[in-house]
């Protein structure tokens, strides 16, 4: 898979979910936008969990933990470059190691993710 294909396939989803890692709690409008974008991608809850844990958390948790990092907002272009680079390398042992350590990289945003998934389930008519 090449970089352009990744951006076309996942770019808007990644950017929509990135506010989960900001220092402020997501607003109602943030959650609504996330759900709208998620619905366009038609992914299962399990597929979304892996996007969260493997595709996003390794990159965004580093941003969140950086002392010098600005996490009131993201530079979308810079963030997309980092996400694409990470996901192009996400094969074999790298994928397995991120699977193993994904609990650590998601723990600071897990409460926000759970809130988003509960809202998504309500939107889809499922029982949270």
């Amino acid at each position: 898979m090449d970089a352009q294909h990744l951006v076309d396939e996942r770019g808007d989803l990644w950017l929509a979910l990135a506010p989960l890692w900001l220092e402020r709690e997501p607003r109602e409008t943030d959650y609504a936008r996330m759900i709208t974008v998620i619905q366009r991608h038609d992914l299962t809850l399990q597929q979304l969990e892996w996007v969260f844990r493997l595709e996003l958390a390794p990159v965004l948790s580093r941003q969140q933990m950086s002392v010098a990092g600005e996490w009131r907002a993201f530079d979308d272009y810079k963030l997309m470059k980092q996400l694409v680079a990470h996901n192009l390398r996400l094969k074999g042992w790298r994928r397995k190691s991120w699977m193993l350590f994904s609990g650590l990289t998601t723990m600071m945003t897990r409460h926000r993710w759970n809130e988003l998934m509960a809202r998504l389930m309500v939107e889809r008519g499922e029982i949270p």
Side-chain angles (χ1 to χ4, degrees):
M1 185 176 305
D2 67 356
Q4 188 59 54
H5 183 78
L6 272 174
V7 170
D8 293 344
E9 185 177 303
R10 291 279 208 250
D12 64 332
L13 181 62
W14 290 340
L15 292 178
L17 296 176
L20 294 171
W21 277 269
L22 294 175
E23 71 179 338
R24 63 168 174 76
E25 288 297 318
R27 298 181 194 103
E28 289 298 320
T29 55
D30 294 325
Y31 281 121
R33 181 174 183 280
M34 289 178 212
I35 288 172
T36 299
V37 173
I38 288 169
Q39 294 289 63
R40 282 197 312 256
H41 284 266
D42 195 34
L43 298 171
T44 67
L45 295 178
Q46 184 177 11
Q47 290 169 321
L48 287 166
E49 179 69 23
W50 288 113
V51 168
F52 173 64
R53 292 171 69 173
L54 296 179
E55 296 177 17
L56 291 169
V59 173
L60 290 163
S61 63
R62 279 182 256 155
Q63 177 82 19
Q64 192 176 37
M65 298 299 288
S66 170
V67 174
E70 172 62 45
W71 50 292
R72 287 198 176 277
F74 291 115
D75 174 342
D76 288 352
Y77 180 74
K78 181 180 174 184
L79 178 60
M80 188 62 67
K81 282 177 49 176
Q82 292 171 334
L83 287 165
V84 167
H86 165 74
N87 282 279
L88 286 174
R89 292 187 309 263
L90 194 57
K91 295 175 180 70
W93 69 269
R94 288 180 199 266
R95 183 176 192 81
K96 289 177 182 162
S97 67
W98 282 120
M99 289 170 80
L100 181 63
F101 294 107
S102 64
L104 295 173
T105 60
T106 60
M107 73 180 170
M108 291 179 66
T109 56
R110 177 56 65 181
H111 66 287
R112 295 172 180 175
W113 180 256
N114 291 343
E115 174 66 22
L116 176 61
M117 291 300 98
R119 290 171 183 241
L120 179 62
M121 290 176 76
V122 168
E123 180 73 20
R124 291 180 173 179
E126 301 172 13
I127 298 172

